[in-house]
Amino acid sequence: MTAPDSLAWAAYAWIPITIWAAACQTVRTGLQKQLKGRLSTNGASFTRFLYGMPLALLYLTAVVHFTGLSVPAPHWAFIGWLLVGATFQIFATNLLILALTLRNFVVGTAYSKTEAIQAAIFGLLLLGEAVSPGGIAAIILGTIGVMLISLKHADNKLHAFLLGWTERSALIGIASGGLFAISSVGFRAAALSLDTDNMPLAAGTTLAWATIYQTLVMACWLAWREKGQIGQVLAAWRPGIMVGIASAAGSAGWFTAMAMQVAAYVRMLGLVEMVFTFLMSYLVFRERPARAEIIGVMVLLVGIVLGLAVRK
């Protein structure tokens, strides 16, 4: 591979990495929904961090081993952005798990995907990273596609599409998306602040520190406010390990992609998760897709293709 070819590959590497992360997130969300029946909201969220932390450290170790580079030293700017990203991710995860327990959890999950739009806003406000008009159009189009997919079980689809955002599950989903958006921007800023040009190393370092912090914070909270939950999380180690694997694999992908590309574009492509969910319901569970779902998937795919075409 020549130098120009290598540079071209690096410019596009965030795309397959993001798709991988979205696929892992699809699996993790399904597993966490099952855990919520056995654990509290905070307990189910803690599972992600506790069982994901060893794998996050293993990922960083592997990057260091194969690159021959040293782990970059943290500094105050890195710590500040890391705390923003990690703390907001905890609250966002809790809200998403809460949305999954509500009667209309599909709506809550769909509205959490407004994260892509909100990431564009927060990326501009916090980092000064503007998204092109074409990129904004692509993100809006993709979000509309997600909204259409969520209409499958709605009785009055027009009413649900126009006013569905007023439902409790939708408001929780929007709040979750906003917190995830701020978290994404925080993690990107943390990774970019490190003294290294190696994006996997920057992402791995950020991921490792974030999961350590999140595990400690959640453990202290559960020990203080929800006695017995830590024991239940440890008792559920079999599904917990699966959640940890999916979470660590997905987070490694998200962190790496967001170190390479503007968070809004990464989260826009991450909407492909809804396509994976659609295909799983059709191919695995043999559920007949509704017309709104099919149209939504098509609109979403058009938005994703447009976004990739006009990205920076």
Side-chain angles (χ1 to χ4, degrees):
M1 182 179 291
T2 64
D5 290 338
S6 177
L7 291 174
W9 180 89
Y12 289 96
W14 69 276
I15 296 175
I17 292 173
T18 300
I19 294 173
W20 160 260
C24 292
Q25 183 164 302
T26 303
V27 175
R28 190 204 75 213
T29 300
L31 291 171
Q32 280 188 307
K33 183 179 178 240
Q34 295 177 344
L35 273 177
K36 181 58 182 71
R38 303 169 59 177
L39 305 170
S40 69
T41 297
N42 286 316
S45 180
F46 179 56
T47 301
R48 167 186 180 177
F49 304 122
L50 176 65
Y51 292 105
M53 181 176 65
L55 294 171
L57 295 174
L58 181 62
Y59 173 69
L60 176 59
T61 302
V63 172
V64 170
H65 174 74
F66 287 108
T67 62
L69 300 173
S70 300
V71 177
H75 47 74
W76 287 115
F78 170 79
I79 293 172
W81 283 117
L82 181 81
L83 293 179
V84 169
T87 303
F88 276 83
Q89 188 180 51
I90 290 174
F91 290 120
T93 301
N94 282 6
L95 285 178
L96 181 59
I97 293 174
L98 177 60
L100 292 173
T101 66
L102 300 177
R103 181 180 61 86
N104 204 351
F105 72 89
V106 175
V107 171
T109 304
Y111 275 89
S112 71
K113 302 308 175 187
T114 58
E115 174 192 356
I117 294 176
Q118 298 188 69
I121 296 172
F122 288 117
L124 177 61
L125 294 176
L126 298 177
L127 300 182
E129 293 182 332
V131 176
S132 68
I136 293 293
I139 292 171
I140 293 175
L141 194 61
T143 304
I144 291 174
V146 172
M147 298 299 105
L148 290 172
I149 294 172
S150 73
L151 298 178
K152 177 179 180 179
H153 299 292
D155 296 326
N156 188 332
K157 291 180 170 49
L158 180 61
H159 180 273
F161 182 75
L162 295 176
L163 298 175
W165 62 271
T166 61
E167 293 186 21
R168 180 170 178 252
S169 58
L171 293 174
I172 291 175
I174 292 172
S176 172
L179 296 180
F180 271 126
I182 296 174
S183 172
S184 298
V185 173
F187 284 139
R188 172 170 168 77
L192 292 179
S193 74
L194 290 171
D195 186 22
T196 178
D197 294 326
N198 187 287
M199 291 300 99
L201 179 60
T205 302
T206 306
L207 175 61
W209 279 109
T211 52
I212 291 172
Y213 164 76
Q214 290 165 327
T215 301
L216 292 174
V217 168
M218 291 294 293
C220 291
W221 175 264
L222 291 176
W224 178 40
R225 302 292 296 178
E226 299 183 31
K227 299 185 186 302
Q229 270 298 304
I230 292 180
Q232 293 183 39
V233 169
L234 294 176
W237 63 271
R238 286 187 177 87
I241 288 176
M242 298 305 298
V243 169
I245 292 173
S247 177
S251 293
W254 289 125
F255 279 50
T256 304
M258 285 187 291
M260 304 172 83
Q261 182 57 266
V262 174
Y265 286 112
V266 173
R267 288 306 186 182
M268 176 275 301
L269 179 56
L271 294 176
V272 75
E273 175 191 353
M274 297 299 291
V275 178
F276 294 149
T277 302
F278 170 81
L279 292 175
M280 184 179 296
S281 66
Y282 177 67
L283 298 176
V284 178
F285 300 106
R286 302 297 179 182
E287 296 179 356
R288 184 177 180 180
R291 182 182 302 175
E293 272 190 297
I294 297 174
I295 296 174
V297 168
M298 294 174 64
V299 171
L300 172 56
L301 290 174
V302 170
I304 289 174
V305 172
L306 175 61
L308 292 177
V310 302
R311 83 197 186 289
K312 286 185 175 181

